[in-house]
Amino acid sequence: MSNISNNTKATLFLYDITSGVVPSKDKSYTVQSFDYRCERKRNTMGMPYGPTGKTSLQFCIKTLPDGYLKELYNRIHDHTPSSLSFVFNATFEEGPDGQLAEYETGMVVEGYVVNISEAFGHLLEDTADKDSLMLTSVEFLVGAITYMGSDNNRKTLYINF
């Protein structure tokens, strides 16, 4: 079976793709923007020390408006951390399942959804099908980030907040 690339730079899955659940294209979202910043204190010589400070991740995804993000909205009420997976330059298998075949890098973030906002219709002027799509922006308070590199290399950063 051959593989296809949808030329998407970043893809979001609403679960930890390393947990044994097979990621498929129909369970993914196209990431429009993605931003986070991890910081540590520095001493007078400029050397970092202490724990990583509060980190929030902001991302925006393109979706259909009818109930596709119900799971994400339910997480805004959760008192336990949840996971999101971002993969970069993903390639999916052809066919109805469209399973994730490979990716360049990725990251699994664990934490809490703290804010969700949406933009519909007229705010999406550059989109041809602007009446059927919306942009959903999410702010996520991060507790841990697991970076996934090539050859199954992983590194986890735990964050204090």
Side-chain angles (χ1 to χ4, degrees), residues 64-85:
L64 295 170
D66 295 331
Y68 284 88
L69 292 175
K70 185 175 183 179
E71 180 183 343
L72 191 62
Y73 278 98
N74 286 338
R75 292 182 187 188
I76 206 161
H77 300 292
D78 286 349
H79 297 288
T80 57
S82 62
S83 297
L84 302 173
S85 298

Side-chain angles (χ1 to χ4, degrees), residues 73-151:
Y73 278 98
N74 286 338
R75 292 182 187 188
I76 206 161
H77 300 292
D78 286 349
H79 297 288
T80 57
S82 62
S83 297
L84 302 173
S85 298
F86 294 89
V87 295
F88 303 98
N89 296 321
T91 303
F92 296 90
E93 294 176 354
E94 285 187 39
D97 294 338
Q99 294 179 346
L100 181 65
E102 60 183 276
Y103 54 88
E104 283 184 19
T105 59
M107 58 192 283
V108 176
V109 294
E110 186 176 300
Y112 305 89
V113 174
V114 293
N115 191 24
I116 300 174
S117 60
E118 300 173 336
F120 289 95
H122 70 281
L123 298 175
L124 305 174
E125 295 294 335
D126 60 336
T127 307
D129 50 355
K130 63 184 177 185
D131 294 329
S132 62
L133 292 177
M134 70 178 183
L135 290 179
T136 302
S137 298
V138 179
E139 182 177 0
F140 194 79
L141 183 61
V142 179
I145 303 172
T146 301
Y147 298 97
M148 303 175 301
S150 59
D151 299 326

Side-chain angles (χ1 to χ4, degrees), residues 37-43 46-55 157-160:
R37 182 176 177 165
C38 296
E39 293 182 340
R40 291 175 53 193
K41 294 181 182 180
R42 295 186 180 269
N43 64 17
M47 298 296 297
Y49 72 93
T52 304
K54 177 182 142 186
T55 299
L157 172 66
Y158 296 99
I159 300 168
N160 299 320

